[in-house]
Amino acid sequence: MYVIALCCVAAFTFTYTILPSIIRIAGKYGLMDVPDERKSHIAITPSFGGVGIFAGLFVALLLFCPGADFDFLRFVLVALIIVFLVGALDDLDPISPLAKLAGQITAIIILVFLADIRISSFYGIFGIWELSYVLSVLVSVIVYIFLINSFNLIDGINGLSSSIAVLTSSVLGLWFFMNDLMAMSLIAFAVSGSTLAFLKYNISPARIFMGDTGSLVLGTLCAVLAIQFLEINASMAGTAYAFPSGVSVVMGLLILPVFDTTRVFLYRLFKGRSPFAPDKNHIHHLLLDLGMSHMQATGVLLLVNIGFVVMALNLQNVSSLMFIVLSFTVAYLLTQVVNLSLYVRRRNVVRSQ
């Protein structure tokens, strides 16, 4: 336990210590996020917080990973370096979506083929269990791409993407620790430590944003943790710490990025636009339109996400497919409540004019 605690503390301390320097350097060289009509902040702000997150967890993992686990960890770290570089390049000078995707797929290939972190089953969804190797690879690549970019898409207000990353990594890190899975637990708590340190500087008024550098790194690591949890949990069926429905736990943890990304993509397609065309229709934008501050919106969404985690833990007797349907239904209804509140607010504003 002390090694995991030290890893978390080291990641927190390193990130916390270097972020002020990153803020100064970003300001000196003009590495800033300038607000425009698509963004919800109004002040020019440094956007390289992801460098601090990456550096903190990278150093902590190198320091405390046991030698026996390093062969596995090195593949994760190499993939992470590639994702980090893609994010950094995009933050410095936006690259094309195709180049960004190519970089992500390169990292995913390392994770799937070399680290063997992939989805090998549908875990009973649609009555499907074991997948062929080819199908396993295809499904894994799609899931990685979706989760990596979903964290990028919800990173629109202070503290949101990082809060979900801390929640996900802490819960799964504790489960890995309880099952004596040192390497995965170290990765999870390194993420928690470095991201918590970043949050100190990202809470409104934000002194720095994580940028694509941070959101892509966190999305990659949360995808790795989620997929490993699903695979290991399925292999431990019937043991003390195994969940009857690991899919429900992951859905509870990642409901916000998964649902909001799906909802926004479908909305854009329905409106005849590209699903990748940026807009301000994410759930956090709707909460801001209701008059909430960044931190109020983040707090509400984090509490709702925790509520879904509690629901997942208490509905383990429900099938995975049923829980996914239930989660999306509840999330949709909650979103409609927000939309209705926004409609009433706008109508009242019009009437008062």
Side-chain angles (χ1 to χ4, degrees), residues 136-185:
S136 168
V137 169
L138 290 174
V139 169
S140 299
V141 170
I142 292 170
V143 170
Y144 271 117
I145 291 173
F146 182 84
L147 289 179
I148 290 171
N149 289 286
S150 69
F151 269 82
N152 182 240
L153 290 172
I154 67 167
D155 184 36
I157 59 174
N158 298 338
L160 182 56
S161 187
S162 46
S163 294
I164 301 303
V166 169
L167 173 65
T168 301
S169 59
S170 298
V171 171
L172 295 183
L174 179 61
W175 186 87
F176 287 128
F177 169 73
M178 292 170 65
N179 286 284
D180 233 5
L181 299 163
M182 180 64 74
M184 295 308 304
S185 187

Side-chain angles (χ1 to χ4, degrees), residues 87-114:
L89 287 172
D90 198 49
D91 285 336
L92 285 168
D93 185 17
I95 59 179
S96 70
L98 189 58
K100 202 170 176 180
L101 180 61
Q104 292 176 22
I105 290 176
T106 302
I108 292 167
I109 287 172
I110 293 172
L111 292 171
V112 171
F113 289 103
L114 298 180

Side-chain angles (χ1 to χ4, degrees), residues 105-344:
I105 290 176
T106 302
I108 292 167
I109 287 172
I110 293 172
L111 292 171
V112 171
F113 289 103
L114 298 180
D116 198 34
I117 303 174
R118 59 186 173 86
I119 296 171
S120 65
S121 169
F122 265 7
Y123 315 105
I125 298 175
F126 303 119
I128 301 172
W129 293 93
E130 187 175 355
L131 299 176
S132 67
Y133 184 77
V134 173
L135 188 56
S136 168
V137 169
L138 290 174
V139 169
S140 299
V141 170
I142 292 170
V143 170
Y144 271 117
I145 291 173
F146 182 84
L147 289 179
I148 290 171
N149 289 286
S150 69
F151 269 82
N152 182 240
L153 290 172
I154 67 167
D155 184 36
I157 59 174
N158 298 338
L160 182 56
S161 187
S162 46
S163 294
I164 301 303
V166 169
L167 173 65
T168 301
S169 59
S170 298
V171 171
L172 295 183
L174 179 61
W175 186 87
F176 287 128
F177 169 73
M178 292 170 65
N179 286 284
D180 233 5
L181 299 163
M182 180 64 74
M184 295 308 304
S185 187
L186 284 171
I187 292 172
F189 282 107
V191 173
S192 297
S194 59
T195 309
L196 278 171
F198 166 78
L199 268 170
K200 165 65 173 63
Y201 296 92
N202 188 235
I203 292 174
S204 298
R207 295 177 59 191
I208 192 168
F209 298 150
M210 69 168 64
D212 282 8
T213 309
S215 61
L216 295 181
V217 164
L218 291 181
T220 301
L221 286 169
C222 285
V224 165
L225 293 172
I227 291 173
Q228 279 293 82
F229 166 74
L230 287 172
E231 288 294 295
I232 295 170
N233 183 72
S235 70
M236 294 172 53
T239 61
Y241 296 120
F243 289 100
S245 176
V247 172
S248 298
V249 176
V250 169
M251 180 57 65
L253 288 167
L254 299 177
I255 184 63
L256 178 60
V258 169
F259 172 77
D260 194 49
T261 300
T262 303
R263 181 187 68 83
V264 170
F265 273 26
L266 291 176
Y267 176 83
R268 291 169 184 169
L269 288 171
F270 180 76
K271 292 294 184 179
R273 302 202 305 265
S274 166
F276 304 103
D279 56 30
K280 297 185 72 171
N281 286 305
H282 290 281
I283 184 65
H284 53 267
H285 291 133
L286 301 182
L287 292 178
L288 293 181
D289 289 343
L290 274 178
M292 292 187 184
S293 67
H294 278 227
M295 298 317 299
Q296 287 172 336
T298 291
V300 167
L301 291 172
L302 180 60
L303 286 174
V304 170
N305 207 135
I306 292 172
F308 275 95
V309 175
V310 173
M311 186 170 75
L313 296 178
N314 284 279
L315 293 178
Q316 283 294 299
N317 58 322
V318 175
S319 71
S320 297
L321 178 59
M322 184 60 68
F323 185 82
I324 291 173
V325 172
L326 176 63
S327 296
F328 266 63
T329 301
V330 173
Y332 175 77
L333 291 175
L334 290 174
T335 304
Q336 291 307 103
V337 170
V338 174
N339 279 322
L340 179 60
S341 301
L342 190 56
Y343 169 77
V344 171

Side-chain angles (χ1 to χ4, degrees), residues 1-9 64 177 182 186:
M1 177 62 182
Y2 75 93
V3 175
I4 294 172
L6 285 174
C7 182
C8 184
V9 171
F64 294 102
F177 169 73
M182 180 64 74
L186 284 171

